mmCIF file of all heavy atoms in Angstrom:
data_model
loop_
_atom_site.group_PDB
_atom_site.id
_atom_site.type_symbol
_atom_site.label_atom_id
_atom_site.label_comp_id
_atom_site.label_asym_id
_atom_site.label_seq_id
_atom_site.Cartn_x
_atom_site.Cartn_y
_atom_site.Cartn_z
ATOM 1 N N GLY A 1236 0.825 -1.240 0.014
ATOM 2 C CA GLY A 1236 0.016 0.011 0.014
ATOM 3 C C GLY A 1236 0.883 1.259 -0.033
ATOM 4 O O GLY A 1236 1.828 1.345 0.791
ATOM 5 N N VAL A 1237 0.530 2.160 -0.895
ATOM 6 C CA VAL A 1237 1.195 3.448 -0.906
ATOM 7 C C VAL A 1237 0.134 4.529 -0.808
ATOM 8 O O VAL A 1237 -0.742 4.660 -1.663
ATOM 9 C CB VAL A 1237 1.962 3.670 -2.206
ATOM 10 C CG1 VAL A 1237 2.790 5.004 -2.141
ATOM 11 C CG2 VAL A 1237 2.972 2.500 -2.465
ATOM 12 N N PHE A 1238 0.163 5.329 0.268
ATOM 13 C CA PHE A 1238 -1.017 6.149 0.602
ATOM 14 C C PHE A 1238 -0.645 7.640 0.336
ATOM 15 O O PHE A 1238 0.408 8.116 0.623
ATOM 16 C CB PHE A 1238 -1.359 5.968 2.071
ATOM 17 C CG PHE A 1238 -1.805 4.539 2.454
ATOM 18 C CD1 PHE A 1238 -0.813 3.678 2.977
ATOM 19 C CD2 PHE A 1238 -2.981 4.032 2.192
ATOM 20 C CE1 PHE A 1238 -1.072 2.371 3.266
ATOM 21 C CE2 PHE A 1238 -3.308 2.758 2.484
ATOM 22 C CZ PHE A 1238 -2.323 1.944 3.068
ATOM 23 N N TYR A 1239 -1.697 8.331 -0.118
ATOM 24 C CA TYR A 1239 -1.621 9.804 -0.135
ATOM 25 C C TYR A 1239 -1.735 10.360 1.257
ATOM 26 O O TYR A 1239 -2.556 9.934 2.056
ATOM 27 C CB TYR A 1239 -2.734 10.359 -0.961
ATOM 28 C CG TYR A 1239 -2.553 10.285 -2.428
ATOM 29 C CD1 TYR A 1239 -3.220 9.241 -3.134
ATOM 30 C CD2 TYR A 1239 -1.813 11.088 -3.241
ATOM 31 C CE1 TYR A 1239 -3.115 9.078 -4.449
ATOM 32 C CE2 TYR A 1239 -1.649 10.955 -4.558
ATOM 33 C CZ TYR A 1239 -2.267 9.951 -5.228
ATOM 34 O OH TYR A 1239 -2.091 9.807 -6.560
ATOM 35 N N GLN A 1240 -0.751 11.259 1.546
ATOM 36 C CA GLN A 1240 -0.824 11.870 2.868
ATOM 37 C C GLN A 1240 -0.829 13.430 2.668
ATOM 38 O O GLN A 1240 -0.334 13.903 1.670
ATOM 39 C CB GLN A 1240 0.421 11.522 3.674
ATOM 40 C CG GLN A 1240 0.545 9.945 3.930
ATOM 41 C CD GLN A 1240 1.627 9.657 4.956
ATOM 42 O OE1 GLN A 1240 1.750 10.245 5.981
ATOM 43 N NE2 GLN A 1240 2.450 8.671 4.557
ATOM 44 N N TYR A 1241 -1.502 14.103 3.568
ATOM 45 C CA TYR A 1241 -1.735 15.516 3.384
ATOM 46 C C TYR A 1241 -1.065 16.324 4.503
ATOM 47 O O TYR A 1241 -0.910 15.880 5.644
ATOM 48 C CB TYR A 1241 -3.199 15.789 3.357
ATOM 49 C CG TYR A 1241 -3.813 15.274 2.014
ATOM 50 C CD1 TYR A 1241 -4.337 14.029 1.958
ATOM 51 C CD2 TYR A 1241 -3.763 16.097 0.984
ATOM 52 C CE1 TYR A 1241 -4.858 13.552 0.729
ATOM 53 C CE2 TYR A 1241 -4.231 15.680 -0.248
ATOM 54 C CZ TYR A 1241 -4.818 14.379 -0.361
ATOM 55 O OH TYR A 1241 -5.215 13.971 -1.597
ATOM 56 N N SER A 1242 -0.670 17.535 4.102
ATOM 57 C CA SER A 1242 0.041 18.482 5.019
ATOM 58 C C SER A 1242 -0.959 18.869 6.178
ATOM 59 O O SER A 1242 -2.075 19.253 5.970
ATOM 60 C CB SER A 1242 0.477 19.686 4.293
ATOM 61 O OG SER A 1242 0.973 20.688 5.173
ATOM 62 N N PRO A 1243 -0.423 18.854 7.397
ATOM 63 C CA PRO A 1243 -1.273 19.341 8.521
ATOM 64 C C PRO A 1243 -1.266 20.848 8.611
ATOM 65 O O PRO A 1243 -2.036 21.440 9.423
ATOM 66 C CB PRO A 1243 -0.602 18.704 9.695
ATOM 67 C CG PRO A 1243 0.908 18.618 9.332
ATOM 68 C CD PRO A 1243 0.818 18.281 7.808
ATOM 69 N N LEU A 1244 -0.438 21.592 7.804
ATOM 70 C CA LEU A 1244 -0.371 22.983 7.936
ATOM 71 C C LEU A 1244 -1.599 23.696 7.399
ATOM 72 O O LEU A 1244 -2.139 23.297 6.358
ATOM 73 C CB LEU A 1244 0.872 23.513 7.190
ATOM 74 C CG LEU A 1244 2.270 23.102 7.654
ATOM 75 C CD1 LEU A 1244 3.349 23.810 6.890
ATOM 76 C CD2 LEU A 1244 2.405 23.514 9.210
ATOM 77 N N THR A 1245 -2.065 24.697 8.067
ATOM 78 C CA THR A 1245 -3.151 25.532 7.682
ATOM 79 C C THR A 1245 -2.817 26.975 7.476
ATOM 80 O O THR A 1245 -3.657 27.827 7.375
ATOM 81 C CB THR A 1245 -4.296 25.380 8.670
ATOM 82 O OG1 THR A 1245 -3.864 25.821 9.964
ATOM 83 C CG2 THR A 1245 -4.868 24.015 8.771
ATOM 84 N N VAL A 1246 -1.471 27.263 7.476
ATOM 85 C CA VAL A 1246 -0.967 28.697 7.369
ATOM 86 C C VAL A 1246 -1.050 29.152 5.925
ATOM 87 O O VAL A 1246 -0.950 28.338 4.974
ATOM 88 C CB VAL A 1246 0.362 28.851 7.952
ATOM 89 C CG1 VAL A 1246 0.371 28.427 9.446
ATOM 90 C CG2 VAL A 1246 1.382 27.951 7.197
ATOM 91 N N ALA A 1247 -1.008 30.472 5.800
ATOM 92 C CA ALA A 1247 -0.911 31.041 4.424
ATOM 93 C C ALA A 1247 0.455 30.890 3.913
ATOM 94 O O ALA A 1247 1.433 30.797 4.619
ATOM 95 C CB ALA A 1247 -1.322 32.553 4.463
ATOM 96 N N THR A 1248 0.652 30.878 2.611
ATOM 97 C CA THR A 1248 1.899 30.773 2.009
ATOM 98 C C THR A 1248 2.807 32.032 2.212
ATOM 99 O O THR A 1248 2.264 33.147 2.339
ATOM 100 C CB THR A 1248 1.805 30.568 0.470
ATOM 101 O OG1 THR A 1248 3.166 30.393 -0.085
ATOM 102 C CG2 THR A 1248 1.136 31.680 -0.210
ATOM 103 N N SER A 1249 4.099 31.792 2.426
ATOM 104 C CA SER A 1249 5.043 32.842 2.590
ATOM 105 C C SER A 1249 5.658 33.230 1.253
ATOM 106 O O SER A 1249 6.604 33.994 1.200
ATOM 107 C CB SER A 1249 6.121 32.512 3.513
ATOM 108 O OG SER A 1249 5.646 32.202 4.813
ATOM 109 N N GLY A 1250 5.085 32.638 0.151
ATOM 110 C CA GLY A 1250 5.638 32.960 -1.167
ATOM 111 C C GLY A 1250 6.756 32.040 -1.530
ATOM 112 O O GLY A 1250 7.049 31.086 -0.927
ATOM 113 N N ALA A 1251 7.449 32.462 -2.601
ATOM 114 C CA ALA A 1251 8.574 31.575 -3.115
ATOM 115 C C ALA A 1251 9.929 31.848 -2.293
ATOM 116 O O ALA A 1251 10.144 32.938 -1.873
ATOM 117 C CB ALA A 1251 8.894 31.935 -4.559
ATOM 118 N N LEU A 1252 10.558 30.728 -1.964
ATOM 119 C CA LEU A 1252 11.774 30.825 -1.284
ATOM 120 C C LEU A 1252 12.881 30.517 -2.217
ATOM 121 O O LEU A 1252 13.026 29.365 -2.802
ATOM 122 C CB LEU A 1252 11.780 29.729 -0.159
ATOM 123 C CG LEU A 1252 13.092 29.700 0.602
ATOM 124 C CD1 LEU A 1252 13.474 30.964 1.324
ATOM 125 C CD2 LEU A 1252 13.079 28.488 1.615
ATOM 126 N N SER A 1253 13.715 31.502 -2.461
ATOM 127 C CA SER A 1253 14.891 31.309 -3.280
ATOM 128 C C SER A 1253 16.162 31.526 -2.415
ATOM 129 O O SER A 1253 16.395 32.638 -1.939
ATOM 130 C CB SER A 1253 14.910 32.438 -4.415
ATOM 131 O OG SER A 1253 16.003 32.235 -5.310
ATOM 132 N N VAL A 1254 16.924 30.453 -2.350
ATOM 133 C CA VAL A 1254 18.006 30.469 -1.305
ATOM 134 C C VAL A 1254 19.301 30.923 -1.994
ATOM 135 O O VAL A 1254 19.724 30.362 -2.992
ATOM 136 C CB VAL A 1254 18.193 29.145 -0.738
ATOM 137 C CG1 VAL A 1254 19.352 29.074 0.270
ATOM 138 C CG2 VAL A 1254 16.881 28.599 0.009
ATOM 139 N N THR A 1255 19.933 31.937 -1.442
ATOM 140 C CA THR A 1255 21.261 32.277 -1.770
ATOM 141 C C THR A 1255 22.100 32.414 -0.472
ATOM 142 O O THR A 1255 21.543 32.871 0.553
ATOM 143 C CB THR A 1255 21.299 33.636 -2.475
ATOM 144 O OG1 THR A 1255 20.730 34.696 -1.608
ATOM 145 C CG2 THR A 1255 20.565 33.679 -3.741
ATOM 146 N N GLY A 1256 23.291 32.005 -0.436
ATOM 147 C CA GLY A 1256 24.001 31.945 0.758
ATOM 148 C C GLY A 1256 23.454 30.890 1.587
ATOM 149 O O GLY A 1256 23.191 29.805 1.178
ATOM 150 N N THR A 1257 23.127 31.110 2.935
ATOM 151 C CA THR A 1257 22.604 30.230 3.889
ATOM 152 C C THR A 1257 21.270 30.790 4.433
ATOM 153 O O THR A 1257 21.230 31.919 4.913
ATOM 154 C CB THR A 1257 23.556 29.965 5.122
ATOM 155 O OG1 THR A 1257 24.788 29.463 4.572
ATOM 156 C CG2 THR A 1257 22.917 29.006 6.056
ATOM 157 N N THR A 1258 20.177 29.982 4.326
ATOM 158 C CA THR A 1258 18.916 30.300 4.893
ATOM 159 C C THR A 1258 18.525 29.185 5.830
ATOM 160 O O THR A 1258 18.703 28.005 5.505
ATOM 161 C CB THR A 1258 17.890 30.388 3.759
ATOM 162 O OG1 THR A 1258 18.250 31.483 2.849
ATOM 163 C CG2 THR A 1258 16.556 30.634 4.262
ATOM 164 N N THR A 1259 17.987 29.627 6.955
ATOM 165 C CA THR A 1259 17.589 28.613 8.010
ATOM 166 C C THR A 1259 16.109 28.672 8.140
ATOM 167 O O THR A 1259 15.515 29.737 8.333
ATOM 168 C CB THR A 1259 18.271 28.886 9.331
ATOM 169 O OG1 THR A 1259 19.670 28.790 9.178
ATOM 170 C CG2 THR A 1259 17.833 27.922 10.412
ATOM 171 N N ILE A 1260 15.495 27.392 8.172
ATOM 172 C CA ILE A 1260 14.038 27.329 8.435
ATOM 173 C C ILE A 1260 13.927 26.831 9.846
ATOM 174 O O ILE A 1260 14.344 25.762 10.152
ATOM 175 C CB ILE A 1260 13.358 26.479 7.510
ATOM 176 C CG1 ILE A 1260 13.363 26.931 6.008
ATOM 177 C CG2 ILE A 1260 11.882 26.210 7.956
ATOM 178 C CD1 ILE A 1260 12.748 25.973 4.998
ATOM 179 N N SER A 1261 13.349 27.686 10.752
ATOM 180 C CA SER A 1261 13.279 27.308 12.134
ATOM 181 C C SER A 1261 11.843 27.422 12.720
ATOM 182 O O SER A 1261 11.530 27.376 13.915
ATOM 183 C CB SER A 1261 14.118 28.321 12.960
ATOM 184 O OG SER A 1261 13.791 29.672 12.732
#
C-alpha cells in the first residue's frame, strides 16, 4: 500500500523561497 498523505499546515503561503548563501528554516 502506498498512501496519499496530506499536510497538517493551515497557514498562508510565505511565497517563493529562493536560497542564496545560507537560509535557515526554524
Side-chain angles (χ1 to χ4, degrees):
V1237 186
F1238 301 95
Y1239 284 98
Q1240 300 187 50
Y1241 286 92
S1242 170
L1244 293 184
T1245 57
V1246 298
T1248 180
S1249 298
L1252 175 62
S1253 182
V1254 178
T1255 60
T1257 299
T1258 297
T1259 299
I1260 295 177
S1261 55

